[in-house]
Amino acid sequence: MDKRFIVIVLDGFGMQAMADAAIARPGDEKSSTLGSILHDHPDLKLPNLEALGLMNAFGKESEKMKFSDKAVWGKSELMHFGADTFMGHQEIMGSLPKKPVVQPFQEKVDEIKEHLKKHGHKVEVRQNGHLRYLLVDDYCTVADNIDADLGMAYNCTAPLDYLSFDKELEIGRLVREVATVNRVIPFGGTNTTIDDILAAEETREDRFIGIHAVKSKSYEHGYQCRHLGYGVDEKVQAPTILGHAHIPVSLFGKVADIVANDTGKSVSCVDTAEVLDLTIQEIKDMKNGFICTNVQETDLAGHSQDSTWYKNLLEIADEKIGIIMDLIHDDVLVVMADHGNDPNIGHNRHTRENVPLLIKKAGVEGVSIGLRKTLSDVGASVCDFFGVSAPQNGQSFMNLLK
């Protein structure tokens, strides 16, 4: 029988602070992404998400949105450390999160230098005061990521007209073998030079040194990027397992940039309407398979601390999700998030929140799947749905959808 499992991730669309937020992420204990949007826009109406059980998951009704007796819904905690889009999606796909180390590049620079030299790479140490970073094979810098939470990632930056992305990725994988931070991120673009990259060198807090990504001009032409996560093994994730079983996998939006899908289709896209239109067309074209779409702009609205933009994006997404709901037959649809991003919390970082699990499956109504302990329950359910081996982490909820 032809059947599809569709996951829509509204990036950053959390419900309320996790129970451990005060300890695990101080400052997030009062966070509620949906709560803040409703506070600023009490007249918000999202009829399709409401029908799927949005307010059931939120735990209270608003002026315009009520509980749904027919909804199939639940919530999920985050098992990964902090509140991270990359690790959230690895968790969704079935990876067991491994706690990374928060560590300035200075503490690993010598070890990484020797590891690269051992594998035949030319390594030059560049210095600004007491802070050091690496220039590898004349064209690839290895340094702190200074554009996100400091100490959480190292960047490899290269001009791709002079060093191929495959060669840069090889360098990044060697750095990943040594580094214990959350991510190692090789990226670069064309029509830029190593002089452009070196000119974008900046320091932070007298402890971190790196290349400012935008100033490096890497995003302007021919941008390529790969996120290498700590403890992430693509072989135990749903897309790889499905691919090996010859089940089609299509990833749209930011998930295409951060989740391995070597045998399937991956299409990067940011605009909310466009990425959901691509999803709608794929549902119409795909007879059997797994589709996962990330709606990234909701997360960008949270980072911008702009609840009005967030509201407008949710309205666009809700309309498109309604079209998707009408296309569901012998399929499963899950609408969820990967973390929170409260626009009113007082900072522009992600927030550690429970996320909604809103489900549609023909013939199933009025079911709660409860509070799940990990986002991996989604990946486990995907694999269960298609009758393939389970991913590394998670418990399927398919037995509850009967």
Side-chain angles (χ1 to χ4, degrees), residues 162-191:
Y162 300 89
L163 185 75
S164 73
F165 187 65
D166 285 343
K167 291 292 186 183
E168 185 187 17
L169 187 56
E170 176 186 310
I171 293 168
R173 291 191 189 281
L174 289 171
V175 176
R176 177 73 280 174
E177 289 177 4
V178 175
T180 52
V181 290
N182 188 2
R183 274 179 278 177
V184 172
I185 311 174
F187 69 90
T190 57
N191 290 9

Side-chain angles (χ1 to χ4, degrees), residues 105-106 132-134 141-146 153-157 209-211:
F105 187 69
Q106 302 311 297
R132 299 178 295 156
Y133 67 101
L134 304 178
T141 60
V142 184
D144 288 299
N145 180 328
I146 56 169
Y154 302 152
N155 282 357
C156 304
T157 314
I209 187 168
I211 305 301

Side-chain angles (χ1 to χ4, degrees), residues 19-264:
D20 71 352
I23 297 172
R25 204 169 172 87
D28 286 0
E29 57 268 24
K30 294 183 179 179
S31 61
S32 173
T33 300
L34 178 57
S36 287
I37 297 166
L38 288 171
H39 175 272
D40 293 349
H41 304 281
D43 60 341
L44 175 64
K45 179 69 172 176
L46 304 168
N48 295 302
L49 291 175
E50 180 185 13
L52 287 171
L54 178 63
M55 307 316 288
N56 303 53
F58 186 50
K60 56 185 175 182
E61 299 179 326
S62 70
E63 179 181 314
K64 298 292 186 179
M65 294 189 288
K66 309 302 177 183
F67 298 141
S68 171
D69 292 337
K70 295 183 177 180
V72 181
W73 64 278
K75 294 189 292 186
S76 180
E77 297 180 328
L78 317 180
M79 185 176 281
H80 69 270
F81 175 72
D84 184 69
T85 294
F86 174 81
M87 284 309 301
H89 281 75
Q90 309 311 313
E91 187 179 338
I92 289 169
M93 297 303 171
S95 284
L96 178 65
K98 188 175 181 180
K99 186 175 180 178
V101 175
V102 178
Q103 189 169 44
F105 187 69
Q106 302 311 297
E107 297 179 12
K108 298 293 284 189
V109 60
D110 292 316
E111 186 179 356
I112 291 172
K113 177 187 71 174
E114 294 306 317
H115 192 61
L116 289 165
K117 290 174 65 176
K118 177 182 175 182
H119 286 81
H121 291 278
K122 176 185 175 182
V123 184
E124 173 190 341
V125 177
R126 295 185 62 85
Q127 194 150 347
N128 183 335
H130 67 282
L131 299 177
R132 299 178 295 156
Y133 67 101
L134 304 178
L135 179 63
V136 183
D137 297 341
D138 298 319
Y139 291 110
C140 180
T141 60
V142 184
D144 288 299
N145 180 328
I146 56 169
D147 301 306
D149 288 353
L150 297 172
M152 292 291 288
Y154 302 152
N155 282 357
C156 304
T157 314
L160 300 185
D161 290 320
Y162 300 89
L163 185 75
S164 73
F165 187 65
D166 285 343
K167 291 292 186 183
E168 185 187 17
L169 187 56
E170 176 186 310
I171 293 168
R173 291 191 189 281
L174 289 171
V175 176
R176 177 73 280 174
E177 289 177 4
V178 175
T180 52
V181 290
N182 188 2
R183 274 179 278 177
V184 172
I185 311 174
F187 69 90
T190 57
N191 290 9
T192 186
T193 68
I194 189 60
D195 290 334
D196 292 324
I197 290 170
L198 296 176
E201 171 196 310
E202 294 186 4
T203 64
R204 299 281 189 274
E205 299 180 0
D206 201 33
R207 298 174 60 213
F208 303 91
I209 187 168
I211 305 301
H212 190 290
V214 173
K215 293 180 181 177
S216 75
K217 303 181 181 178
S218 297
Y219 294 146
E220 295 179 7
H221 302 280
Y223 177 69
Q224 293 191 65
C225 178
R226 182 74 63 87
H227 292 248
L228 306 176
Y230 183 51
V232 173
D233 179 1
E234 64 192 54
K235 296 189 296 295
V236 299
Q237 295 184 329
T240 302
I241 295 168
L242 293 171
H244 288 166
H246 306 293
I247 297 168
V249 176
S250 295
L251 307 180
F252 296 98
K254 189 171 183 178
V255 64
D257 298 329
I258 59 179
V259 168
N261 183 30
D262 293 339
T263 62

Side-chain angles (χ1 to χ4, degrees), residues 14-18 53-60 72-78 335-337 353-359 367-375 377-378 397:
M15 295 279 99
Q16 63 281 119
M18 280 180 53
L54 178 63
M55 307 316 288
N56 303 53
F58 186 50
K60 56 185 175 182
V72 181
W73 64 278
K75 294 189 292 186
S76 180
E77 297 180 328
L78 317 180
V335 180
M336 63 181 301
E353 298 181 41
N354 296 324
V355 302
L357 292 174
L358 313 179
I359 303 166
V367 174
S368 170
I369 65 167
L371 177 63
R372 317 299 292 193
K373 295 299 182 183
T374 173
L375 304 174
D377 288 0
V378 174
F397 48 70

